[in-house]
Amino acid sequence: MLEASPVRAFSDNYLWLIRAPRDGRSAVVVDPGDARPVQAALDEQGLALRAILVTHHHPDHVGGVAELAARHGALVFGPARGRMPCVHRPLDDDDEVSLAELGLEFRVMAVPGHTLDHIAYYGHGALFCGDTLFSAGCGRLFEGTPSQMLGSLDRLAELPDDVRIFCAHEYTLGNLQFAATVEPGNVDVLEALEAVRALRAQDAITLPSTVGRERRINPFLRCREPSVRTAAEAHAGAPLAEAAEVFAVVRAWKDGFR
Ligand SMILES: [Zn+2]
């Protein structure tokens, strides 16, 4: 199983440090928004940074890229569509990231919505999805349309149930509180809410999640479920014909949810 450990940064970001399966001494980091905690984790674990994977251009995901790449001579992979500085290997949908000497290989999935350049990395039964999919939630639509984001989430939801999901933020508790408002009868949501509340009371991480779990608890992956549609229609005060309309209502509802 792929070994990835979270590096905490800012108020609630997770920068994921992947240990190379082939030699156990090399590492790859996903979305290093801040170089300092990544360097501290590398030092602590005795790892050499060999590559950097970037999902999208937001500063809390790229802030440490230049410094880490220069310091370690690490190869930087990132979206081809973005306004991204210092990307050595620009990537688009269905491209492969092959780091054979580290024993790592990922398939790139274009997942526009949060931003238009957003990509996710899938491999070794793991998904690094940046700010597209969170546990029990999804990213805000800064650049894309609801139907773009729904299309992206649908693709992620089609991955096998046991794929582990490494999200970029600790948003799970707030997301589940919202999910329980949308689907008060969803027992999986209520159970997850209790478990996550206990974890967060100890400041423990709630990730990774899995695709199977998200299909049960994430309202944004459940826009075609009658319970979510009915709740969205009640919130909108109008019938909603398409899943993308349901998604748009639930996303806007979440934006204003406290
Ligand atoms: Zn972002």
Side-chain angles (χ1 to χ4, degrees), residues 122-257:
Y122 171 51
H124 308 271
L127 176 73
F128 296 88
C129 54
D131 287 352
T132 296
L133 178 62
F134 297 120
S135 185
C138 73
R140 285 177 187 256
L141 303 184
F142 287 114
E143 296 177 8
T145 64
S147 58
Q148 266 178 325
M149 186 61 145
L150 182 63
S152 296
L153 293 173
D154 282 347
R155 287 187 71 196
L156 300 182
E158 282 167 14
L159 295 173
D161 276 3
D162 61 356
V163 169
R164 295 186 300 154
I165 302 174
F166 296 84
C167 318
H169 289 274
E170 181 56 73
Y171 289 161
T172 316
L173 180 56
N175 286 342
L176 281 167
Q177 286 165 338
F178 175 70
T181 303
V182 175
E183 286 189 283
N186 183 332
V187 176
D188 293 316
V189 167
L190 301 179
E191 282 178 9
L193 181 56
E194 283 317 298
V196 163
R197 203 172 259 145
L199 285 171
R200 294 307 299 147
Q202 301 165 51
D203 195 31
I205 186 168
T206 64
L207 300 169
S209 185
T210 64
V211 169
R213 175 180 165 89
E214 292 308 313
R215 288 170 65 92
R216 294 192 302 275
I217 67 171
N218 193 321
F220 298 100
L221 301 189
R222 297 171 57 77
C223 291
R224 292 172 187 86
E225 296 291 326
S227 50
V228 174
R229 172 186 294 261
T230 304
E233 287 179 337
H235 186 75
L240 302 168
E242 304 287 334
E245 294 177 70
V246 175
F247 176 85
V249 167
V250 177
R251 185 57 261 179
W253 184 1
K254 174 67 168 66
D255 288 344
F257 182 79

Side-chain angles (χ1 to χ4, degrees), residues 56 58 60-61 114-115 118 131 142 169:
H56 67 296
H58 282 161
D60 61 322
H61 296 252
H114 175 69
T115 63
H118 208 304
D131 287 352
F142 287 114
H169 289 274

